[in-house]
Amino acid sequence: MRYDVAIVGGGVIGCAIARALSRFHLKTILLEKECEVGFGTSKSNSGIIHAGHNGATGTLKGELEWAGNQMWDALHDDLDFGFLRNGELMVAMSPEEVPTLQHFLQQGTARGVTGLEIWDGERVRREEPALSDDIVAALHAPTAGVVNPYEVCFSLIENASRNGVELLLDCPVEAIKRDSDGEFDIRTRQQPVHARFIVNAAGLFADEIARMAGAGTFQIRPRKGEEYLLDKRLRGMVKRTIFPCPTAQSKGILVIPTYDGTLMIGPTA
């Protein structure tokens, strides 16, 4: 079967691209190796919508973070998945960490992030009484949010499918070859797919797909964290997502309310 675009990978990125392409007169197919979309990395992420000030200046991540943050309200209005702008606090446990808060305040302000302000320890405990008395200050970012990652993926691909995008599940890509016209022959476990263009949204396996397509210029070195979903009796212990001041190695251990108020605790890369 011949397509204009074949998307490899059905996580949140692949599903979002599928929905975006469904607005055009293109024959598009999404190939996902798992039994359902979102069953790779997307099922295991924290669901945090970053406020816009976290990504380093001068990086693509930093450039896109704030622009992406502002798109979630309209996307939620269109698709009605679980979404809440609960805000975040980056906390300083000592005076030596306060300059880190000031750095992120200045970085966010420079790129237009709204509502950023530094709270003293008294304000932090007034707003979030369950937090430690050792906290000396925190950067408050009201634009941060949380989503239900499963609902986001399902909503995106359902909308894309209604608009004509085809979906093949349990369909890992096994090989990719380029024909004499510069188009792609994709061998999958289910059926051959011929496409003018390939979008590589394969997540942790994007380097393998790139190598198959002759663009093996990078290698993914994944990092794995752990998250603990706490009992619903602790719902409401904190309202905002709580970050420590980051280090060069990690963002540390976070406390993350889900969109319905349940708590998760875990480290993130």
Side-chain angles (χ1 to χ4, degrees), residues 13 37 40-41 47 56 79 107 133-134 160 178 185-186 200-201 210 231 236 267 269:
I13 299 299
V37 297
T41 304
L79 302 180
Q107 181 167 269
D133 291 339
D134 295 333
R178 211 158 193 170
D185 291 312
I186 306 167
N200 184 357
D231 192 282

Side-chain angles (χ1 to χ4, degrees), residues 3-267:
Y3 296 88
D4 293 303
V5 182
I7 303 165
V8 180
V12 64
I13 299 299
C15 292
I17 291 170
R19 178 177 184 261
L21 291 179
S22 74
R23 302 177 182 214
F24 301 94
H25 294 293
L26 296 169
K27 189 172 178 60
T28 302
I29 188 169
L30 189 149
L31 309 173
E32 168 54 46
K33 70 182 184 68
E34 301 292 347
C35 64
E36 184 55 273
V37 297
F39 273 28
T41 304
S42 293
K43 77 176 184 305
S44 305
N45 79 87
S46 62
I48 295 172
I49 304 303
H50 287 284
H53 64 284
N54 302 87
T57 299
T59 64
L60 183 61
K61 180 178 180 180
E63 178 184 343
L64 297 179
E65 183 184 12
W66 175 231
N69 175 284
Q70 296 170 83
M71 297 171 70
W72 281 96
D73 297 278
L75 191 62
H76 171 256
D77 290 343
D78 284 348
L79 302 180
D80 195 29
F81 48 80
F83 170 64
L84 175 67
R85 284 199 185 273
N86 63 321
E88 75 169 58
L89 288 174
M90 180 186 292
V91 300
M93 303 301 294
S94 69
E96 289 74 24
E97 291 185 327
V98 172
T100 299
L101 305 183
Q102 294 169 338
H103 162 75
F104 283 102
L105 171 64
Q106 293 165 4
Q107 181 167 269
T109 301
R111 65 181 58 149
V113 180
T114 57
L116 294 172
E117 60 179 352
I118 292 180
W119 292 352
D120 61 20
E122 182 179 345
R123 173 79 182 274
V124 171
R125 283 179 287 278
R126 187 165 67 247
E127 298 284 348
E128 296 284 2
L131 295 186
S132 170
D133 291 339
D134 295 333
I135 294 171
V136 298
L139 175 61
H140 178 231
T143 53
V146 287
V147 298
N148 183 319
Y150 313 100
E151 289 184 8
V152 174
C153 289
F154 297 158
S155 298
L156 288 167
I157 199 60
E158 286 172 2
N159 188 225
S161 297
R162 286 196 299 270
N163 290 341
V165 173
E166 295 182 39
L167 173 65
L168 279 182
L169 300 171
D170 288 317
C171 189
V173 171
E174 297 177 335
I176 300 172
K177 291 184 178 180
R178 211 158 193 170
D179 65 19
S180 58
D181 295 324
E183 299 184 358
F184 296 95
D185 291 312
I186 306 167
R187 190 179 78 218
T188 77
R189 186 175 295 172
Q190 292 194 32
Q191 66 184 53
V193 173
H194 187 83
R196 295 170 57 210
F197 301 98
I198 295 175
V199 175
N200 184 357
L204 292 179
F205 304 97
D207 53 351
E208 296 181 18
I209 297 299
R211 283 195 295 273
M212 291 182 192
T217 58
F218 65 96
Q219 180 181 2
I220 292 177
R221 298 181 178 88
R223 299 175 68 180
K224 184 177 181 180
E226 294 181 345
E227 292 178 343
Y228 300 88
L229 187 63
L230 303 186
D231 192 282
K232 289 186 177 181
R233 288 175 295 179
L234 296 177
R235 177 180 286 136
M237 178 174 284
V238 296
K239 299 186 291 290
R240 299 166 181 85
T241 302
I242 311 301
F243 285 78
C245 285
T247 68
Q249 289 73 38
S250 173
K251 291 179 182 177
I253 297 176
L254 280 58
V255 181
I256 311 159
T258 64
Y259 83 101
D260 63 354
T262 305
L263 284 183
M264 290 193 297
I265 294 180

